[in-house]
Amino acid sequence: MKKYLYFIPFVLVPLPFAGYPFLLSIFVLIGIYTIAAIGMDVLTTWAGQISIGNAAFFAVGAYTSAILVVNFHVPFLIAFLISGLFALIIGIVVGLPALRVSGFYLAVVTMAFGIAVQQIIGVFQITGGYNGIRNIPVPSFWIFKASPLYQYYIVLTIIFLIFIVLSRISFSKSGLALFAMRDSEIAARSFGINLLKYKLAAFGSSAALTGLAGSLYASAIGFISPSQFDLTLSLDLLAMVIVGGAGSVMGVMIGAAFFVGLPFLLSGYNISITIIQGAVLILILLFLPKGLLQIFKIKDLFKKKVT
Amino acid sequence: METDHILEVENLTVKYGPIEAVKGTNFFVGNQEVVSILGANGAGKSSTLKALAGLIPHEGRVTFLSKDISRTEPYIIPYLGLTLCPERRGIFPDLSVEDNLLLGAYTIRKNKNLIKENIRKVYVLFQRLEERKRQLAGTLSGGEQQMLAIGRALMNDPKLLMLDEPSLGLSPKLVDFIFDSLKTINKSGTAILLVEQNAMIAMEISTRIYVMQNGKFAISGNTKDIDFQNLKMKYLGV
Amino acid sequence: MVFQQIIAGIITGSLYAIVALGLVIAYKVTGVMNFAYGYMGMISAYIFFTCFSMVGMNYILSFFIAIAFGSFVGYAVERGLLRPVRNISPASMVIITLGLLLVLEGVALQIWGNNYQQIPNLLNGLPLILRFNGGIIVIPQQNLLILGVVTAVIIALILYLNLTFQGKAMRAVAQNEEIAKLMGINSSLMMSISWIISGSIGALAALLVAPQTFVYPDMMLNLQIMGFTAAVLGGFESIPGSIIGGISIGIIENLVGTYISTNLKTTFSLAIIVAILIVKPEGLLGSAKARRV
C-alpha cells in the first residue's frame, strides 16, 4: 500500500496555485500526457513492442470525443469512454501486423499508421479537414464547475486508477506472461504463452490509454487539428518514457512534466524547443540509460544510508 | 629469449567478467614449427587464439617476431605476418569464393601480381575451390568451407598461421586431407599454431604440444616424449 | 494516361530508391536504422540554399558544398553519437537517431526559420516529349536529371561494392565484423566510410527533391517515410531490393493518386505496403535468416 502514498503530494500540489489557472492548466496537460506516455510504456517496456505511431491513437481519442461532444452533444463522460473503446479497437487492428513483423519493421509499420491517420483526418468533413474542430466545451458535471483545478483532480484520479490497475496486472499471471514475451518470444511460446493474445492486449491497452488521454486533451485545449498529431508527437511520447524512466508511472510522469513544461519555461527565449528535447533524449540515452528517475533513486538511497 | 622463437607468449590471461578463461599461460612457437594446443571444449584454447589475434582483451605479453603485439589493434596484426584462420563458419557466406580469397589478401592489396600468384597457389592446394570460385561461399559444403578458410588465411603469406579447430565437424577422410594440406603448408616455410580437440590427428603433424585444462597447461613437451597414458588421463579429465 | 503516371512514378520512385539505398548501406555496415536520415539531408538543402540564394555562389559549386556537408554530417553522427553506444542495444541507437531528428528539426528552425525557401531547378529547358500511337508522354528536364543522377549513383555504388577492394571489404564488415578484422580490415574506418556515403546520398536526395518540395524543416518527411518503406519492402538488406521497392512504391503512389484519391495517396500506398509486409514479413527480396536486429 505504501506505493499509493506517493500520490498524496500530487493531491496537495495544486492547492497553493489555485489562483493561477494558467499554471494549473499546465499541470493538467502534464497529467494528460502522462496517461498517453503510460500507454507507450505499456507497449514498449512491458510488452517489448516498438511504436512510433502512437500519436494516431491520441488523435483517434481526441477526434472521437470532440465529434461526439460537439456534433452530437453526448455527455463528456460517455464520449470519454467511447473514445477509449474506439482507440482500443483500432489498437487491436494495428496490433495484427505486429504478430507478423517485429523490431525495425514494426517501427516502420507503426510510423506508416501514424502518417496515414493524420492524413485521413485531414480529408474528411466530419473531422473538420485541415482546419480541425474548434470550441470543444470543457466538461462540467453537476455541482462542479469547469475549472482547471477540477480538471486537474479528474486527471489525477484517472492516473491513480490506471496506476492501481497496472500494479495489479504487473504482479499477475498476465503481467509475467507479458514480460516473458518481451524478453524472448520463442521462450515465451515454449511456456505455452499465447503470443497472439498478449500482443493484441498490449496494443489494445496502449491504444486505449492513449485514446483516453486524447479525449481529455481535446476538452482541455478546446481545439484540435491534424497538425497537432504528427510524427513529432509520437516521438515525444516515446521520449517521455525514456527521459523519465521506463517501466514506472512516476518516471513517465517526470518525462511528461519535462516535455510539457519545457516549452513554457523557454517561451521567453528565442530557442527551438525540439533542439533541447532531442538533445536531452540523446544525453539521457548516453549517460542515464534508466532515465531521470535514476537521479531521484540515487538520492533516496543516499538518504537511507545517512539515517 | 632465443631468437628462433617466432612467437613468445608470457603470462597470458583472458577474463570474461569474473571468469578467467586463460590463467597466465606461457608458451612459444619456434621458426617453421608446428605446435598444437589440445584440450576439451571450454578449456580456453579458442580464447587463447582470439587473444593473440587481438580480438579480445587480455593481459600478459605477446611477442611476435621480436615485436610486442600485446596492445596492437586486431586489424594491424595480419599486416605483421600473423594470421588467424577462424573455424569454418568464419567465412563470408554472401561473398563468392574468389572474393573471400581476395579479402584474405587485403593486407597486400597493392601488390596485384602477388595476389594472383597466391590465388594460384591456393587453387593448387585446394582444387575444389577453383572449381567453385564463382559460387557464394555460403553454398559450399563443410569441408570446402574449411578449405576456403585455410586458403584465405594463406593469401597474405603469413609467417605464422593460427588455426582454430580445423577438424571440427568434418568426416575422417576430409580431416586427413586437411591435415595433409597443413603439412604441405608447413613444408613451404609457414609456422603453424593449431588449436584442436582431435588430439590424435593434431599430434601426427605437431613437433610440440600443449595440453590445456581449465585455462592452464597440464602437459607440454615434444610430441615424441609425451606419455600417452598420462595425456589420455589429462585430456579426458579423469 | 497510365504511361505518363508510370513514368512519373518511376521518377519519384527513383528518389525513394536512393533514400532507401542510403539507409540500407549504413544499416548493413553498422546495424543502425537511421530515423534522422531525411533530416540530415534537409540540413544540406539549407546549406545549398545559403550558398546559392543567400551568398550568391554558383549552382554547381553550391551543390557540391552541400553534398560534402552531407557526408561530413554522416561521418560526425556515426562517429560522435552512435559509436559510443554501439555495444548497448539496437533500440537505444534507434532512439538516438529519433532524438537527432528532433535536434536537426530545431536547428533548422533556429537558423533558417519556418519559411518555405525556394530552390530553382538546375535544368529548365523544354521538356522531353515522347509521342506514340496511344498519346504523348511529357517529362520535364529536371526529372530527366533526377533519373540520370539516381541511375548513375546506383551504378557507381554497385560497382564500388562489387568490384573494388574497399567495397568488398565493406561488405565483409557487414557480414562479420570480427572476421573482417582478421583479414586486416579496419572495420571502424569502413563504418565511417559507409556513413559518409550514406550522408552524401541523403544530401543528394534532398537537393534533387528540393525544387519540388521547397526547403523547410520537414521537407524530407515524406521522402524519408517512403524511403524507409522502400527499404523494408526490399528486405532492408539488399540493394536490388531497395531499388525495386522504391520504384514500385513510386508507381503505386502515382497510380493511386490519379485513379483513387490524391489526398489519400500516402495512406493507400502505405496500406498496400503494410499488406505486402503482412503476407511476406521479410520483404520482397529479404531473407528471414539475415535479419540483423
Side-chain angles (χ1 to χ4, degrees):
Chain A
M1 287 307 107
K2 200 180 136 204
K3 59 191 175 193
Y4 299 133
L5 298 180
Y6 281 118
F7 276 86
I8 291 178
F10 293 105
V11 176
L12 304 174
V13 154
L15 295 177
F17 304 108
Y20 303 91
F22 179 68
L23 258 183
L24 283 175
S25 64
I26 292 173
F27 290 159
V28 169
L29 271 185
I30 292 173
I32 291 170
Y33 280 105
T34 301
I35 298 171
I38 292 172
M40 181 62 97
D41 200 27
V42 166
L43 191 61
T44 53
T45 320
W46 288 39
Q49 309 293 304
I50 193 166
S51 164
I52 43 181
N54 263 30
F57 301 128
F58 202 71
V60 165
Y63 271 92
T64 310
S65 169
I67 291 169
L68 289 174
V69 171
V70 174
N71 296 11
F72 300 99
H73 308 289
V74 175
F76 176 74
L77 186 65
I78 293 171
F80 174 71
L81 293 175
I82 291 177
S83 59
L85 190 67
F86 190 45
L88 174 91
I89 293 165
I90 304 239
I92 289 174
V93 174
V94 175
L96 287 172
L99 303 171
R100 298 274 292 160
V101 299
S102 60
F104 296 131
Y105 288 68
L106 185 59
V108 173
V109 169
T110 53
M111 179 171 75
F113 167 68
I115 302 293
V117 166
Q118 200 192 354
Q119 201 175 45
I120 289 167
I121 56 180
V123 168
F124 288 103
Q125 196 102 55
I126 190 159
T127 52
Y130 285 101
N131 298 321
I133 301 175
R134 283 162 199 283
N135 301 322
I136 304 162
V138 181
S140 59
F141 286 118
W142 195 33
I143 54 166
F144 298 105
K145 294 259 166 55
S147 76
L149 191 64
Y150 158 70
Q151 287 182 327
Y152 177 91
Y153 284 114
I154 288 192
V155 172
L156 186 66
T157 312
I158 294 168
I159 295 177
F160 186 63
L161 292 175
I162 292 170
F163 180 69
I164 292 174
V165 173
L166 289 186
S167 9
R168 287 277 165 95
I169 293 175
S170 71
F171 290 109
S172 71
K173 232 176 90 186
S174 309
L176 292 177
L178 267 180
F179 300 147
M181 178 175 84
R182 171 195 61 196
D183 295 337
S184 163
E185 292 199 359
I186 295 165
R189 195 180 290 141
S190 72
F191 289 129
I193 293 170
N194 183 347
L195 292 184
L196 174 95
K197 186 173 114 190
Y198 286 101
K199 271 192 185 172
L200 293 185
F203 266 95
S205 46
S206 171
L209 289 172
T210 316
L212 292 175
S215 163
L216 293 169
Y217 173 85
S219 65
I221 297 281
F223 161 64
I224 50 174
S225 73
S227 64
Q228 286 160 312
F229 308 99
D230 57 2
L231 181 66
T232 312
L233 175 61
S234 293
L235 299 187
D236 283 351
L237 292 176
L238 191 61
M240 283 175 197
V241 171
I242 290 153
V243 167
S248 138
V249 171
M250 290 299 155
V252 169
M253 206 183 273
I254 294 169
F258 179 79
F259 272 78
V260 177
L262 197 65
F264 293 104
L265 288 179
L266 293 174
S267 59
Y269 305 89
N270 176 27
I271 182 153
S272 288
I273 295 128
T274 54
I275 298 184
I276 295 176
Q277 289 174 334
V280 167
L281 181 59
I282 293 171
L283 292 175
I284 294 266
L285 277 167
L286 291 178
F287 301 111
L288 271 182
K290 284 182 184 152
L292 286 174
L293 195 65
Q294 217 174 344
I295 301 176
F296 293 91
K297 282 256 170 74
I298 290 164
K299 275 186 184 160
D300 279 356
L301 288 174
F302 187 65
K303 265 183 206 157
K304 271 175 202 159
K305 269 181 193 166
V306 173
T307 47
Chain B
M1 293 291 152
E2 295 100 311
T3 43
D4 62 338
H5 291 181
I6 182 167
L7 179 79
E8 186 83 45
V9 178
E10 295 156 79
N11 213 7
L12 183 76
T13 303
V14 178
K15 287 177 190 160
Y16 297 106
I19 301 156
E20 275 195 349
V22 181
K23 301 168 181 164
T25 55
N26 294 286
F27 63 98
F28 67 92
V29 178
N31 253 333
Q32 312 208 354
E33 215 184 356
V34 179
V35 174
S36 288
I37 301 178
L38 309 174
N41 223 341
K45 309 182 308 287
S46 290
S47 300
T48 304
L49 284 197
K50 283 190 168 177
L52 296 182
L55 289 177
I56 49 176
H58 54 275
E59 290 158 29
R61 194 181 157 84
V62 181
T63 317
F64 180 69
L65 293 173
S66 323
K67 204 176 158 209
D68 185 353
I69 59 163
S70 322
R71 299 277 164 275
T72 309
E73 286 279 345
Y75 72 90
I76 302 292
I77 286 175
Y79 283 90
L80 308 173
L82 176 60
T83 299
L84 168 61
C85 170
E87 55 154 330
R88 68 184 158 89
R89 279 189 301 266
I91 53 164
F92 300 114
D94 296 337
L95 287 170
S96 71
V97 168
E98 189 140 305
D99 280 349
N100 265 276
L101 291 177
L102 280 175
L103 284 169
Y106 191 76
T107 57
I108 52 161
R109 61 191 174 281
K110 300 265 154 52
N111 193 338
K112 300 281 184 244
N113 291 330
L114 185 57
I115 293 176
K116 245 181 222 158
E117 172 63 19
N118 286 355
I119 286 202
R120 200 189 54 78
K121 277 195 224 158
V122 169
Y123 286 157
V124 169
L125 195 60
F126 302 120
Q127 281 146 16
R128 296 281 281 282
L129 295 182
E130 186 166 23
E131 292 159 21
R132 304 188 186 286
K133 63 183 176 185
R134 306 248 172 272
Q135 237 170 283
L136 289 187
T139 64
L140 298 181
S141 72
E144 290 161 350
Q145 290 186 349
Q146 187 58 61
M147 291 174 209
L148 178 58
I150 296 173
R152 189 183 60 183
L154 292 173
M155 283 296 295
N156 69 344
D157 290 326
K159 301 207 175 56
L160 171 59
L161 175 63
M162 305 191 284
L163 296 114
D164 193 355
E165 306 256 11
S167 77
L168 195 72
L170 298 185
S171 70
K173 210 175 145 194
L174 268 171
V175 171
D176 282 344
F177 174 72
I178 295 285
F179 276 76
D180 280 344
S181 317
L182 292 182
K183 246 189 269 178
T184 318
I185 293 163
N186 178 242
K187 277 202 189 108
S188 68
T190 309
I192 291 179
L193 174 61
L194 183 66
V195 149
E196 258 301 343
Q197 285 191 61
N198 187 339
M200 300 311 298
I201 186 88
M203 285 172 74
E204 271 179 34
I205 65 164
S206 306
T207 38
R208 286 181 307 112
I209 63 165
Y210 296 87
V211 178
M212 205 167 198
Q213 221 182 5
N214 296 323
K216 281 188 216 146
F217 292 140
I219 305 176
S220 60
N222 292 328
T223 312
K224 55 183 190 298
D225 305 333
I226 294 293
D227 172 358
F228 203 70
Q229 273 324 100
N230 188 15
L231 171 71
K232 224 163 140 186
M233 264 172 54
K234 295 280 182 186
Y235 197 76
L236 296 171
V238 287
Chain C
M1 216 23 258
V2 181
F3 284 113
Q4 177 80 48
Q5 290 315 318
I6 289 176
I7 300 282
I10 290 172
I11 287 156
T12 12
S14 68
L15 286 172
Y16 298 161
I18 54 164
V19 171
L21 272 183
L23 284 166
V24 166
I25 194 165
Y27 174 71
K28 282 186 73 137
V29 180
T30 59
V32 184
M33 224 183 228
N34 179 8
F35 280 85
Y37 191 51
Y39 287 75
M40 287 162 59
M42 172 272 293
I43 298 286
S44 286
Y46 270 116
I47 295 289
F48 175 86
F49 169 76
T50 309
C51 292
F52 180 72
S53 303
M54 292 167 75
V55 180
M57 283 188 214
N58 164 295
Y59 197 103
I60 303 290
L61 179 63
S62 310
F63 200 89
F64 283 105
I65 290 176
I67 302 264
F69 188 81
S71 59
F72 169 74
V73 172
Y75 171 79
V77 167
E78 194 274 328
R79 202 63 219 234
L81 285 181
L82 297 169
R83 197 162 304 168
V85 289
R86 259 205 105 212
N87 301 319
I88 301 180
S89 79
S92 311
M93 292 200 290
V94 166
I95 294 163
I96 284 187
T97 66
L98 293 173
L100 180 65
L101 184 162
L102 293 172
V103 171
L104 293 174
E105 191 184 9
V107 165
L109 268 174
Q110 193 76 43
I111 301 177
W112 292 283
N114 205 9
N115 295 331
Y116 285 51
Q117 309 288 2
Q118 203 174 351
I119 283 186
N121 284 327
L122 178 59
L123 300 178
N124 267 325
L126 286 174
L128 176 74
I129 298 175
L130 301 175
R131 286 171 203 281
F132 56 101
N133 51 8
I136 58 166
I137 293 177
V138 181
I139 311 172
Q141 284 199 9
Q142 176 78 12
N143 286 357
L144 288 177
L145 176 80
I146 290 177
L147 207 56
V149 170
V150 169
T151 312
V153 167
I154 289 173
I155 291 173
L157 199 61
I158 289 175
L159 293 180
Y160 168 76
L161 288 174
N162 288 292
L163 295 183
T164 70
F165 234 116
Q166 198 186 62
K168 285 173 187 172
M170 190 172 291
R171 289 165 67 203
V173 173
Q175 287 176 39
N176 192 329
E177 189 191 339
E178 191 171 83
I179 304 295
K181 282 183 188 162
L182 292 180
M183 308 293 108
I185 298 168
N186 182 349
S187 57
S188 307
L189 179 69
M190 291 303 151
M191 290 180 184
S192 293
I193 294 174
S194 72
W195 275 71
I196 288 171
I197 294 174
S198 173
S200 47
I201 290 178
L204 179 70
L207 293 176
L208 289 176
V209 82
Q212 295 165 34
T213 60
F214 295 94
V215 181
Y216 65 100
D218 285 331
M219 64 176 278
M220 291 291 280
L221 183 60
N222 184 54
L223 201 51
Q224 165 165 332
I225 288 165
M226 291 308 187
F228 258 105
T229 320
V232 165
L233 204 55
F236 230 109
E237 291 275 336
S238 114
I239 285 173
S242 303
I243 299 165
I244 295 170
I247 305 279
S248 33
I249 292 172
I251 295 174
I252 291 174
E253 197 188 41
N254 266 278
L255 292 177
V256 168
T258 315
Y259 296 104
I260 302 179
S261 158
T262 319
N263 285 329
L264 289 177
K265 67 174 181 182
T266 316
T267 303
F268 275 105
S269 327
L270 291 175
I272 292 170
I273 288 142
V274 169
I276 293 175
L277 273 183
I278 291 171
V279 179
K280 209 165 177 303
E282 65 282 351
L284 290 177
L285 291 185
S287 54
K289 67 169 172 55
R291 206 178 294 167
R292 185 172 177 175
V293 176

